[in-house]
Structures are given as structure tokens and as C-alpha cells.
Amino acid sequence: MVDGIMKKYPEDMIIHILLRLPLKFILRFKCVSKTLYTLIQSSYFIDIHYNHTLTSTYDNILLKRSCKEDIERYKAVFSFISSDDEDNLNSVYSDLDVPNLLRTTSVTSDKLIDSNHGLIALMEHRTTILFNISTRNYRHLPPSPFQISKGFYQSIKSGGFGYDSVVNDFKVFRISEFYTEDRYGYPEDGETEVEVYELGIDIWRKLDHVDQELPILFWLNSSMSYKGAYHWIASVEGRNIILCFDMTTEIFRNIEMPNTSKFFKGTLYSLQLLNESLSLLCYPCLSSGTDPTTDMMEIWIMKDYNIYESWIRKYTIIGLPTENPLVVWKDYILLFQSNSGHLISYDLKQDEIKELNILGCPKSMRAINYKEFLTPIQRQS
């Protein structure tokens, strides 16, 4: 009956109506008729919905946090957060258990990465799960098939995830150093290798052109995907830089950081997106004994991407004690996790701080801005 009614209306009109609905209602229409199911599943509608959603200014926050279940085991969940007209943050859906939890005995070794194209990745050193959090589909990626040569050891330095717009595919990559040990057990200089996984063809491969010496990377250094490249905080010859990996050319390059303040007992950095621009948070390491009532945080924005002279200092914040900044939402709400484990919001415009009734194990929270897309991903059977 529904299919018969739909034949009376042009497809463009039906699409126009569907685009005005929240994604959860669009997904329900897949069960109404075979015609709607076919339309909503089509790449044509998925692309139209993606472009329509991309231009909207409404974002939610996806928060991953871990809670302790017993002495040696943790449970990870996704929480979906939005706000009312007065910017009070609230959960908009029920929490979702993280399937195929990466590691139940640790809460601080994972990275939550947004591709900016509908899929997200939850990564550990050797394990990656890709999600479309809106459709609740996911894929647990196969492990790398490459073996470690006899007599060598592997140190996984970092990894990332992003979208290659040229081949229309998602890529996961991992940077490792392979080294030997001297007679006393100390590591000797090794070689850097980059492994890339392409989702569309389900294959791992090695890059054969990584002949440059990469800056020093650590797994949990702040990183993000932006403008077709993956970005990390890294260091070279005693100074900090932003290392970039182009998702299409698969070539590394550096971006110089601005001349930020330096804190006597340690300076930390976090990459963020603010005003649609690559941004940098600079703040003191609280565990080094700094005074949170007097120390400051700086927020810098690169107004023109990859142009050093376009760095500007947007905010200077006094007395905001944080070691775990998570994400900037709506361009003026900074979310971070307190040392006690609570989610905290700080309004950059009003200089207001709020402790939210959302709790996780200390240092376990990860957060991204996300929009609801229909980007398909084959669910693991």
C-alpha cells in the first residue's frame, strides 16, 4: 500500500521530505516499504544526505569513557551529548556499549578519531574498530599480516585514520620502528615503516617511499584528521612541530607551530578544530607542580591553513586547571576531563565553568564533534 502511494509522488519530493527528518526517523522508514528501503540504501541518497548534513551547523558530541567493573576489568561506553538553548549539556540517547572492546585492563591507550566523512575509528596499538555511530554499524579490522623479521623488535609509534577523497575510500595507517638490540639489551638505530589499510579493498600494504627520518612521535600525542591529512604533535631536534600525513599522496610534511608560551615545568599541546580552522591549545603540565590558579592556557588558530604567518592567539585563559582537553564544541565550549574523572565544560565567551554529571575513569575520556551520516560500513558478522 505504501509503495502504491509513493508512486504518486516524484522521487525528488520524497527525498526533500526525508532530508528534513532526523537520521533516526529516516532509518525507521527503511522498514516501511521496499521502495523506501531501496532509496535510503542507495548511494545516490546517501551522497545527497551527506552533502545536506555537512552544511548544517548542528553537531553532537560523541564521548567515549570507561568505568571500572571490578578490580582488574573496565567497561567502555559511548555517550551521546547535545545541549538545550541555554547550552546545558545532556545525553540525547542511551549509552552504547563499545563492541569488541579493545582492552579491558587499560583505559588510557586508545584514540578516538573522526574522519570528517561519516566514519570514526577507535584505535589501540594493534587493534582498530571502525564505526558509523549513527547507524550503529561497525567493523573490527583484520590485524596486519606482516611479520617481524628474526632478530628485530617492533615499536609502534603512532597511527591514524582518515578519508582519501580521490579514491573515495577510508584509510587506517600505523607508524612503527623496527630495531635490533646491542649486546647489553639497548635498542640500536632502526628503520621506520608505515602500514596502510584500505577499507574498500580490505587489504594492508606497506609504503615503499618512507625514506625520510620522521620526527619523534608518541602514541598518545594529540592528533586529528583535517583537510585530507592527518596531523600530530611531534618533536624534532628539541622543538615541537605539527607532523602531517596526506591521505591521498601518502607523503609526510611538517607545519611549524606558533611561538607559544613555554611553562617552566612542562608544556603540553592539543590539536583542535575552532572556527573551522586548525587550532592549538597550549597549557602547563599540572603534574609538574604548577599552580592552577595562576597558570594560563593559550588557544591559537591558523586562519589560513599551512600558512605560518596566519597563526593568531585567540584566547588566553587564566586559572583553568586541565590536563586532558577533549574537544571544542560550537567554537566556544571547551570540554575536558577533571583529575577526579568528571566531564567539565568551560565557556570561552562567558568565562564559566561547569561540572557535568558524567563520570569516567581518570584519563579515559575521548570526545569528538560528530554529525549523523548514512556512510555505509559492512558490519562484521
Side-chain angles (χ1 to χ4, degrees):
M1 179 178 177
V2 175
D3 285 338
I5 295 174
M6 288 186 59
K7 291 179 181 178
K8 298 180 179 180
Y9 299 96
E11 184 178 272
D12 288 349
M13 180 183 294
I14 295 171
I15 290 175
H16 178 73
I17 294 171
L18 290 174
L19 292 177
R20 297 172 67 90
L21 300 174
L23 184 59
K24 64 179 180 180
F25 293 118
I26 295 177
L27 294 174
R28 290 176 186 174
F29 271 104
K30 290 169 60 177
C31 304
V32 170
S33 75
K34 184 179 294 186
T35 302
L36 278 173
Y37 178 89
T38 302
L39 173 62
I40 295 170
Q41 288 286 101
S42 69
S43 59
Y44 175 69
F45 180 77
I46 290 172
D47 289 342
I48 291 176
H49 181 269
Y50 172 83
N51 291 324
H52 174 78
T53 305
L54 197 64
T55 59
S56 70
T57 58
Y58 184 74
D59 284 356
N60 291 321
I61 294 293
L62 176 67
L63 177 73
K64 173 264 164 188
R65 57 195 174 105
S66 296
C67 305
K68 203 164 191 177
E69 288 195 306
D70 54 43
I71 296 177
E72 296 182 349
R73 188 176 181 85
Y74 299 88
K75 177 182 178 180
V77 298
F78 285 134
S79 298
F80 305 86
I81 301 171
S82 190
S83 70
D84 56 25
D85 294 337
E86 297 180 355
D87 287 335
N88 295 311
L89 299 178
N90 300 288
S91 295
V92 292
Y93 299 115
S94 299
D95 286 348
L96 179 68
D97 289 350
V98 177
N100 291 347
L101 180 61
L102 305 184
R103 189 183 301 179
T104 58
T105 57
S106 175
V107 298
T108 61
S109 59
D110 55 83
K111 301 200 289 187
L112 183 64
I113 306 169
D114 183 15
S115 68
N116 302 314
H117 211 85
L119 300 187
I120 65 169
L122 189 59
M123 296 186 70
E124 278 194 335
H125 290 75
R126 298 185 182 277
T127 311
T128 302
I129 310 174
L130 301 186
F131 296 88
N132 181 323
I133 204 68
S134 304
T135 62
R136 304 297 195 263
N137 289 335
Y138 66 91
R139 179 189 285 187
H140 197 289
L141 299 191
S144 168
F146 302 112
Q147 302 296 316
I148 302 174
S149 300
K150 186 176 181 180
F152 281 80
Y153 301 88
Q154 181 184 25
S155 174
I156 299 175
K157 297 301 183 180
S158 194
F161 170 61
Y163 176 72
D164 181 346
S165 60
V166 173
V167 299
N168 189 30
D169 200 5
F170 295 89
K171 295 179 180 178
V172 173
F173 55 93
R174 196 171 64 181
I175 303 170
S176 300
E177 182 179 358
F178 292 87
Y179 62 93
T180 58
E181 293 182 346
D182 62 21
R183 57 187 296 187
Y184 302 105
Y186 292 102
E188 297 183 310
D189 290 340
E191 293 186 352
T192 298
E193 290 189 359
V194 179
E195 299 170 347
V196 178
Y197 173 85
E198 294 190 49
L199 181 63
I201 57 177
D202 191 28
I203 287 178
W204 283 96
R205 57 181 170 82
K206 289 185 179 182
L207 295 190
D208 57 7
H209 59 264
V210 186
D211 52 3
Q212 66 194 96
E213 184 176 346
L214 296 181
I216 297 174
L217 284 169
F218 295 99
W219 179 259
L220 288 180
N221 277 14
S222 180
S223 61
M224 63 180 288
S225 182
Y226 177 68
K227 283 194 176 294
Y230 200 78
H231 302 71
W232 298 265
I233 299 295
S235 60
V236 57
E237 297 179 351
R239 62 187 179 89
N240 290 299
I241 57 138
I242 299 173
L243 176 67
C244 308
F245 178 72
D246 190 289
M247 300 303 300
T248 298
T249 64
E250 298 179 349
I251 292 175
F252 290 94
R253 56 184 170 81
N254 297 340
I255 292 179
E256 294 295 324
M257 287 172 51
N259 185 23
T260 68
S261 294
K262 302 295 188 297
F263 301 99
F264 178 69
K265 293 188 177 181
T267 305
L268 300 176
Y269 300 95
S270 175
L271 292 171
Q272 298 290 341
L273 187 65
L274 185 62
N275 300 134
E276 298 299 321
S277 298
L278 182 68
S279 302
L280 182 70
L281 275 64
C282 167
Y283 56 101
C285 177
L286 296 183
S287 61
S288 63
T290 58
D291 184 354
T293 63
T294 58
D295 276 303
M296 66 180 181
M297 171 188 287
E298 294 178 347
I299 300 181
W300 292 73
I301 295 179
M302 178 175 265
K303 298 185 69 176
D304 298 314
Y305 181 65
N306 205 22
I307 305 297
Y308 175 79
E309 290 76 15
S310 72
W311 280 114
I312 62 167
R313 185 167 56 187
K314 180 74 172 180
Y315 296 102
T316 299
I317 307 163
I318 304 296
L320 184 67
T322 175
E323 274 196 347
N324 190 22
L326 300 172
V327 70
V328 178
W329 188 42
K330 294 185 176 181
D331 291 329
Y332 66 91
I333 298 177
L334 171 64
L335 298 180
F336 62 94
Q337 186 179 21
S338 68
N339 290 333
S340 65
H342 283 89
L343 182 63
I344 306 292
S345 72
Y346 175 74
D347 190 314
L348 294 168
K349 294 180 178 178
Q350 303 297 327
D351 191 27
E352 292 179 352
I353 188 168
K354 296 179 183 177
E355 182 178 277
L356 308 176
N357 190 28
I358 300 176
L359 183 67
C361 293
K363 299 184 180 181
S364 74
M365 288 186 180
R366 311 286 184 264
I368 58 171
N369 293 290
Y370 83 97
K371 297 178 186 289
E372 295 190 320
F373 296 112
L374 283 163
T375 307
I377 177 172
Q378 179 183 344
R379 186 166 183 170
Q380 187 180 21
S381 58

